[in-house]
């Protein structure tokens, strides 16, 4: 069974003792019987079948919960589970009985079992002393008895100690007196007088016998010394001896020699010396030579503990007579104790603005005497502290002025106490004083101004930089909190632009910044500590927005806003390099992000036209011929120099005509049809038909001029301008083709009766001054008005 089941079973056994059957079985077994030996058959003795023992789960439970016995459920035999040592189980108790319970379950039933452990003679009598010494004077009367140590036998009963014998001799025999505890103690009885001169020493063997079969015995040696009769005791010349010994006398040193005389001769005249009635301190400190009487030092002397020793010395002769004297040892003090410092109170932390603050109260003492016990107390020089004596041996350590924690936050003070002995001894006691902080330092920024750079189109809550301030104070006085100070520019929405982490000074952009709208701004940040009162400082922060290539080139001409395309007319007699038109584009970015380059992406007839890469001019690449198609469509790619580059395309419509003697100006209705259904051919047919009638031609020219002027006022016609605001920065960089802020152009065909002039990129405004980003809208308005349009 495991431990829990065993505990439950024991509880049931104890609970059912009142209901247990009165039947009990008694068995016996000899100690030291081998494990597994048969004790009894419980099934037969209890009148139970073997099957019943097994089915009812019979158990054997001992009172001490130890498994001495084992029940074999297959045979009903009760077997030994371990060797039994009667002497260990019961000691001297007899009989030795072990109590068991046989527990049957279903139904619950108990039987008592008693196991008697029988003793065997497995122990011999033993003497604790290997030799017994007895001194007997030769004048001792016959019949005198002498007690002797008895032997020990762990067995009991007849196996225990029964008798003593002594080796045959004519002087002694053993007597065993009656004892109340029934134990056998031997006594030595003198049968015949001893004679020291004939036999000074007798050696006998004492034998102890037990009652076992066979009996066992033990022996010891009995040494009998015959003492001579002595009639003279030792005498000392003086009863008191005095000696002075310094306390630093080394161990083993000679102190004094004590000598006594005895008038007897022989053994009676031989004197031995011992300490008499000596305390433990004397025995530990001194020792005496029993023969010579020399007293030597055994352990160190200490004047501060014991100043003198009074030692009684006894001189004993060989006959047992003795004499006494007294030795007085006076201990002389030397300077062997350094001063001692005892701190009564101490303040290990003082505020830096306090003056004359008590740091420590202490006392000094020296256990030596005379000059050896006089002391001088001091501390180091150049410290803002001083010692002040109070009463007796007490001193106070006081600060003499206000301290500055930022200059020195910790002081190590050494209190030195020196006595006036020879040699001088000193004691040092170290005290560490911490200066507690007072909020007397404002936070200081690492720089007076910070310049931070952030690229436009940043993600919201982007960490753009940090400011840092330090405070020379400590603790909460040095805990810095950062904040944004109110902006001096009322138009700057600082609260929506940046935020600052109050704990670490990290700055974050709250929203995406646009370089084209805001190139930079500045604000002030504050740093305040958490002292009381709080101290603060401030620093200037400049945030510069870096341009990103986030604007694609914008084509100003030709317009790409879905209105009627503007057709460029080119005479077939044009020479190579003839300027057809110029693609005009701008880029809202700056720097290399606004450097534009042009290239011909698509053409109806490759090799007929070319585009200058830096200014966007479209020119003829060779002579025109009659075989060249009359209508051409060109796609020009405008690309900036950003990373990655951005681009836009412009589509040009070029019409090859025979000349400009008669303007080729289709009606507005025909122009709209031309943009949709290639109406150019229809107008040519109509123009050829109108040659037959000069009257009709005059009417058509008059109507076309009137309609062109009306369409210019209504923003409809062959020449149109953007309907939205133009980009504000039109800067020409190294001839890249971008319009300068100093030039704007009117791009349109001008027609009238009897004229064929082509007006191309004629500057109409040349005195516009360079303006900042804040006047973008005004600049765009000027640009629009220069064309004579009113764009809503």
């Amino acid at each position: 069974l495991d431990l829990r089941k065993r505990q439950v079973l024991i509880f049931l056994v104890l609970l059912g003792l009142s209901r247990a059957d009165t039947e009990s079985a008694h068995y016996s077994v000899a100690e030291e019987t081998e494990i597994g030996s048969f004790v009894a058959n419980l099934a037969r003795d209890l009148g139970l079948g073997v099957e019943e023992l097994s089915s009812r789960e019979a158990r054997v439970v001992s009172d001490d919960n130890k498994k001495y016995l084992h029940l074999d459920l297959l045979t009903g035999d009760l077997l030994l589970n371990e060797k039994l040592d009667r002497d260990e189980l019961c000691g001297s108790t007899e009989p030795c009985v072990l109590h068991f319970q046989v527990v049957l379950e279903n139904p619950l039933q108990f039987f008592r079992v008693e196991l008697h452990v029988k003793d065997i003679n497995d122990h011999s009598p033993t003497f604790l002393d290997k030799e017994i010494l007895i001194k007997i004077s030769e004048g001792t009367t016959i019949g005198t008895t002498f007690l002797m140590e008895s032997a020990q036998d762990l067995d009991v009963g007849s196996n225990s100690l029964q008798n003593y014998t002594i080796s045959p001799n004519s002087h002694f025999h053993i007597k065993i007196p009656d004892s109340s505890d029934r134990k056998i103690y031997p006594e030595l009885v003198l049968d015949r007088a001893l004679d020291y001169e004939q036999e000074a020493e007798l050696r006998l063997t004492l034998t102890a016998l037990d009652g076992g079969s066979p009996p066992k015995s033990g022996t010891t040696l009995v040494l009998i010394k015959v003492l001579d009769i002595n009639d003279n005791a030792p005498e000392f010349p003086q009863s008191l001896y005095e000696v002075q010994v310094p306390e630093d006398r080394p161990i083993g040193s000679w102190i004094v020699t004590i000598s006594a005389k005895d008038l007897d001769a022989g053994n009676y005249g031989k004197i031995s010396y011992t300490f008499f009635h000596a305390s433990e301190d004397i025995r530990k400190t001194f020792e005496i030579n029993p023969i010579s009487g020399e007293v030597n030092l055994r352990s160190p002397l200490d004047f501060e503990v014991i100043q003198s020793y009074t030692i009684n010395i006894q001189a004993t002769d060989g006959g047992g007579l003795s004499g006494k004297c007294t030795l007085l040892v006076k201990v002389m003090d030397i300077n062997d104790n350094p001063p001692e410092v005892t701190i009564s109170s101490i303040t290990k932390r003082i505020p830096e603005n306090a003056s004359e603050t008590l740091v420590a109260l202490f006392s000094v003492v020296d256990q030596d005497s005379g000059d050896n016990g006089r002391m001088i107390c001091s501390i180091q020089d150049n410290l803002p502290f001083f010692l002040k004596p109070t009463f007796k041996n007490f001193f106070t350590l006081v600060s003499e002025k206000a301290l500055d924690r930022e200059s020195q936050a910790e002081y190590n003070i050494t209190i030195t106490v020196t006595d006036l002995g020879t040699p001088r001894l000193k004691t040092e006691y170290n005290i560490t004083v911490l200066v507690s902080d007072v909020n007397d330092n404002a936070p200081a920024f690492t720089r007076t101004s910070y310049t931070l750079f952030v690229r436009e189109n940043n993600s919201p809550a982007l960490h753009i930089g940090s400011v840092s301030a330090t405070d020379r104070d400590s603790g909460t006085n040095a805990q810095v909190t950062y904040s944004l100070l109110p902006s001096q520019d009322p138009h700057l929405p600082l609260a929506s632009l940046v935020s600052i982490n109050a704990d670490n000074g990290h700055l974050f952009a709250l929203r995406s910044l646009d370089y084209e709208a805001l190139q930079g701004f500045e604000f002030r940040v504050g740093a305040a500590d958490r002292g009381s009162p709080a101290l603060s400082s401030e620093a200037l922060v400049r945030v510069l927005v870096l341009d990103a290539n986030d604007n694609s080139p914008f084509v100003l001409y030709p317009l790409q806003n879905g209105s009627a395309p503007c057709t460029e007319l080119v005479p077939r007699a044009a020479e190579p390099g003839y300027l057809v038109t110029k693609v005009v584009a701008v880029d809202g970015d700056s720097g290399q992000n606004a450097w534009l380059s042009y290239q011909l992406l698509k053409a109806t007839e490759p090799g007929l036209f070319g585009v200058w890469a830096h200014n966007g001019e479209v020119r003829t690449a060779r002579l025109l011929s009659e075989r060249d198609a009359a209508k051409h469509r060109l796609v020009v790619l405008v690309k900036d120099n950003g990373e990655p580059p951005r681009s836009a395309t412009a589509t040009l419509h070029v019409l090859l005509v025979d000349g400009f003697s008669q303007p080729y100006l289709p009606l507005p209705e025909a122009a709209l049809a031309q943009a949709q259904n290639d109406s150019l051919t229809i107008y040519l047919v109509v123009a050829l038909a109108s040659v037959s009638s000069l009257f009709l031609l005059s009417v058509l020219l008059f109507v076309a001029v009137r309609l062109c002027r009306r369409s210019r006022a209504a923003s409809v016609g062959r020449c149109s301008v953007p309907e939205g605001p133009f980009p504000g920065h039109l800067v020409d960089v190294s001839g890249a083709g971008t319009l300068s802020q100093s030039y704007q152009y009117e791009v349109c065909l001008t027609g009238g009766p009897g004229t064929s002039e082509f007006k191309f990129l004629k500057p109409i405004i040349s005195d516009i001054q360079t303006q900042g980003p804040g006047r973008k809208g005004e600049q765009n308005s000027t640009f629009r008005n220069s064309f004579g349009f009113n764009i809503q």
Side-chain angles (χ1 to χ4, degrees), residues 691-740:
V691 173
S692 61
S693 177
L694 295 175
F695 177 78
L696 183 59
L697 177 61
S698 299
V699 173
L700 290 175
L701 290 174
F702 175 78
V703 174
V705 169
R706 297 289 295 174
L707 291 178
C708 183
R709 291 178 179 176
R710 184 177 300 174
S711 64
R712 183 179 302 172
S715 301
V716 179
R718 202 179 301 115
C719 300
S720 59
V721 297
E723 296 184 356
F726 289 91
H729 302 286
L730 308 177
V731 183
D732 186 10
V733 181
S734 301
T738 304
L739 284 177
S740 170

Side-chain angles (χ1 to χ4, degrees), residues 222-261:
V222 179
L223 178 59
I224 299 175
K225 290 189 176 182
V226 181
L227 303 179
D228 189 18
I229 296 175
N230 183 29
D231 55 353
N232 290 287
E235 293 183 0
F236 289 96
Q238 59 189 64
S239 60
L240 178 64
Y241 295 84
E242 292 186 9
V243 63
Q244 292 183 345
V245 182
E247 61 177 330
D248 62 345
R249 181 69 63 86
I251 298 175
S253 298
W254 172 83
I255 302 298
V256 69
T257 298
I258 304 298
S259 179
K261 293 182 178 181

Side-chain angles (χ1 to χ4, degrees), residues 581-612:
T581 185
K582 182 176 182 178
V583 177
V584 181
V586 295
D587 195 311
D589 297 318
S590 64
Q592 67 178 10
N593 295 330
W595 298 353
L596 302 181
S597 60
Y598 303 82
Q599 68 182 58
L600 185 61
L601 187 62
K602 294 180 181 180
T604 304
E605 185 174 344
L608 183 58
F609 299 96
V611 178
W612 286 26

